């Protein structure tokens, strides 16, 4: 690993990654698994140091960061085992279909060097050694990772650990501002981009990637409203107020799957649940946010919300707040993601849930709270929500994303730039491989291409 800053150094880092790409891509999947396992073990050895740095820089609780480290090392091992078993690139053969009776088989190869942008809200699991880095390495792609400027020491510490394990130039950590980010995406050796962050940041990287002489894919996770629809039977259960408030305010609302809109039925039970939920959000404990700009944006949203006609803001002096509105007021900023411990609570007739869901932007998650008697109303709503979200939760909260084979952490724009893909789970590897059809190539010759 080399720590670099400035656009010239980033260009050199990309060049070296490009030079290392062929050999690393040809490495047997089992060998890549062993490297990922070694990275996980080395991170575990350095946990105390890294967690202390991350807690200082992020304000997140050390206990939560230790859990995040466990997720980080767990997904490194999971993705390594996944590729070693060949499950990321199943070989497909059509026998005797080509000219002269030749077979055609499809294999998968690594796309080449990947630019990864570390996120601030999960300094470990979505940071320098996070899911994008792990899935790119598992696929056989060198990575050039840009550390998040809010957590430089954390990024450097993680980078040192990975750099001591991985082959030379397979992993490089770079630092800098927007000019460095754009230079990295424009570097001709870079073949794909993984990003988690703001809509503005993701769009800037997408525009830069599209403007290249050879455009490359950007897998960006960006803004997400994560609506929750409460059906009448579920509204009778007041315990949902506590659960939903916890999901809104966990980690000071700085989670990509935080509920931003909760719709409750226009019934006495729904009105009571809305009031209890608003009070629970306002009463939640708080701590400092990840960055000063994020804290200012949260405060500005609180000020703007108070000026919205028909809106009632229930707030605590420390920061968490709920904005209560009738569903007829849902437009503009009330249907946008607001990072931080805030939520919009709307009351609506259940008959309007379907039409309302069709007006929502693309989102990572959508949640349905229901009882068996609500199922007739829930079925058509579920269909509508599948057109808007990458993951549907039934009788749960959206915060907390399981790292597993079938997870989809993605969704239509503006949640992500690539709704057919996921940034969490074993299918994340598929973003960084591409298929190649081999016609008539002897199996013994093609064996070295099994990614």
């Amino acid at each position: 690993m080399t720590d670099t800053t400035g656009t010239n150094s980033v260009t050199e880092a990309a060049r070296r990654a490009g030079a290392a790409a062929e050999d690393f891509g040809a490495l047997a999947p089992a060998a890549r698994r062993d490297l990922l396992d070694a990275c996980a073990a080395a991170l575990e050895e350095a946990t105390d140091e890294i967690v202390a740095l991350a807690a200082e820089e992020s304000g997140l609780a050390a206990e939560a960061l230790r859990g995040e480290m466990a997720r980080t090392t767990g997904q490194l091992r999971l993705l390594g085992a996944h590729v070693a078993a060949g499950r990321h690139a199943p070989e497909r053969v059509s026998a005797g279909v080509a000219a002269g009776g030749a077979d055609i088989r499809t294999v998968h190869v690594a796309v080449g060097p990947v630019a990864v942008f570390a996120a601030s809200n999960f300094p470990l699991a979505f940071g320098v050694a996070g899911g994008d880095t792990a899935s790119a390495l598992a696929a056989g792609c060198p990575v050039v990772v840009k550390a998040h400027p809010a957590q430089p020491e954390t990024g450097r510490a993680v980078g040192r650990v990975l750099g001591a394990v991985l082959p030379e130039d397979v992993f490089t950590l770079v630092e800098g501002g927007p000019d460095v980010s754009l230079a990295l995406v424009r570097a001709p050796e870079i073949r794909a981009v993984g990003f988690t962050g703001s809509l503005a940041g993701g769009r800037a990287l997408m525009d830069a990637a599209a403007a290249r002489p050879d455009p490359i894919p950007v897998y960006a996770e960006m803004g997400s409203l994560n609506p929750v629809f409460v059906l009448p039977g579920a509204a009778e259960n007041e315990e949902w107020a506590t659960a939903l408030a916890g999901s809104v305010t966990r980690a000071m609302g700085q989670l990509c799957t935080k509920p931003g809109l909760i719709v409750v039925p226009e019934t006495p039970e729904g009105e009571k649940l809305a009031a209890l939920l608003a009070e629970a959000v306002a009463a939640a404990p708080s701590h400092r946010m990840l960055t000063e700009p994020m804290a200012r944006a949260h405060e500005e949203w609180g000020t703007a919300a108070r000026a919205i006609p028909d809106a009632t803001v229930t707030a605590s002096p420390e920061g968490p707040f709920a904005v209560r509105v009738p569903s007829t007021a849902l437009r503009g900023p009330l249907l946008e993601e607001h990072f931080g411990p805030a939520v919009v609570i709307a009351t609506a007739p259940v008959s309007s849930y379907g039409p309302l869901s069709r007006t929502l932007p693309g989102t990572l998650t959508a949640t349905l709270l229901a009882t068996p008697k609500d199922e007739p109303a829930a079925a058509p709503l579920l269909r509508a929500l599948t057109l808007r979200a990458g993951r549907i939760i039934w009788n749960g909260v959206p915060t907390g994303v399981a790292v597993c084979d079938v997870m989809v952490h993605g969704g239509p724009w503006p949640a992500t730039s690539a709704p057919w893909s996921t940034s969490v789970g074993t299918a994340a590897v598929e973003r960084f491989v591409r298929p190649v059809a081999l016609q008539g190539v002897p199996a013994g010759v093609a064996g070295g291409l099994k990614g």
Side-chain angles (χ1 to χ4, degrees):
M1 181 201 76
T2 303
D3 294 313
T4 59
T5 58
T7 56
N8 291 336
S9 295
V10 167
T11 300
E12 176 63 14
R15 186 196 66 78
R16 292 197 308 271
E22 185 172 345
D23 285 347
F24 188 59
L27 200 63
R32 298 203 300 271
R33 174 202 59 203
D34 293 345
L35 284 171
L36 292 176
D37 285 352
C39 287
L43 286 169
E44 287 169 342
E45 287 284 328
T47 292
D48 289 345
E49 175 199 358
I50 292 171
V51 165
L53 289 170
E56 175 66 25
E57 291 186 316
S58 69
L60 299 173
E63 181 180 359
L65 289 165
R66 288 186 180 277
E68 196 180 325
M69 178 62 88
R71 171 173 165 169
T72 303
T73 57
Q75 64 193 8
L76 283 164
R77 292 188 172 105
L78 176 68
L79 294 172
H82 181 71
V83 299
R87 295 171 57 213
H88 68 301
E91 186 177 88
R92 301 174 63 189
V93 180
S94 292
V97 298
D103 296 345
I104 301 177
R105 70 184 64 242
T106 299
V107 298
H108 294 77
V109 298
V111 299
V114 174
V116 172
F117 292 81
S120 63
N121 59 334
F122 281 96
L124 306 180
F126 282 83
V128 168
D132 286 343
T133 297
S135 53
L137 291 172
C141 301
V143 291
V144 181
V145 183
K146 182 179 178 292
H148 197 283
Q151 293 132 15
E153 294 300 331
T154 303
R156 292 167 195 154
V158 173
R160 286 191 294 272
V161 171
L162 296 191
V165 173
L166 294 167
E168 187 175 7
D169 298 329
V170 165
F171 170 85
T172 307
L173 182 70
V174 300
E175 299 181 48
D179 57 333
V180 168
S181 298
L182 295 176
L184 181 55
V185 172
R186 291 168 179 155
E189 295 82 4
I190 297 300
R191 308 313 306 160
V193 177
F195 171 83
T196 298
S198 69
L199 178 59
R203 186 56 189 259
L205 299 184
M206 291 173 63
D207 290 346
R212 289 171 45 130
D214 55 341
I216 59 174
V218 175
Y219 297 99
E221 179 206 313
M222 300 169 290
S224 187
L225 187 61
N226 304 307
V228 176
F229 287 86
V230 184
L231 278 297
E236 298 172 8
N237 183 355
E238 297 177 3
E239 293 181 1
W240 281 121
T242 301
L244 290 169
S247 189
V248 168
T249 61
R250 178 184 168 194
M252 281 296 281
Q254 298 168 120
L255 304 178
C256 51
T257 54
K258 179 207 77 173
L261 171 67
I262 298 174
V263 182
V264 299
E266 207 170 63
T267 63
E269 294 81 8
E271 293 285 354
K272 184 176 182 181
L273 183 68
L276 291 172
L277 172 57
E279 292 169 3
V281 168
S286 62
H287 56 79
R288 70 177 174 89
M289 294 186 67
L290 292 164
T291 67
E292 283 299 323
M294 289 179 186
R296 286 196 300 272
H298 175 66
E299 293 172 4
E300 289 166 2
W301 168 228
T303 300
R306 288 175 173 82
I308 295 175
D310 300 322
T312 301
V313 176
T314 305
S316 73
E318 291 79 16
F321 65 86
V323 185
R324 292 190 59 187
V325 294
S327 62
T328 53
L330 288 175
R331 64 182 69 88
L334 291 168
L335 292 179
E336 297 172 1
E337 180 192 45
H338 296 284
F339 215 53
V343 66
V344 174
I345 305 170
T347 53
V350 174
S351 60
S352 72
Y353 278 17
L356 172 58
S357 72
R358 295 180 181 91
T359 69
L360 300 180
T363 185
L364 293 171
T365 75
T367 299
L368 286 166
L369 304 184
T371 62
K373 70 180 181 181
D374 296 314
E375 291 181 8
L381 179 57
L382 174 64
R383 172 60 182 163
L385 291 175
T386 61
L387 302 178
R388 293 289 184 270
R391 176 166 60 107
I392 309 294
I393 297 94
W394 180 270
N395 283 342
V397 296
T399 44
V401 184
V403 183
C404 61
D405 285 343
V406 299
M407 177 52 64
V408 175
H409 192 60
W413 182 272
T416 76
S417 61
W420 57 88
S421 69
T422 177
S423 62
V424 175
T426 54
V429 178
E430 297 170 11
R431 297 173 298 167
F432 304 124
V433 296
R434 64 178 181 86
V436 178
L438 304 179
Q439 181 172 325
V441 179
V445 177
L449 294 177
K450 294 182 180 180

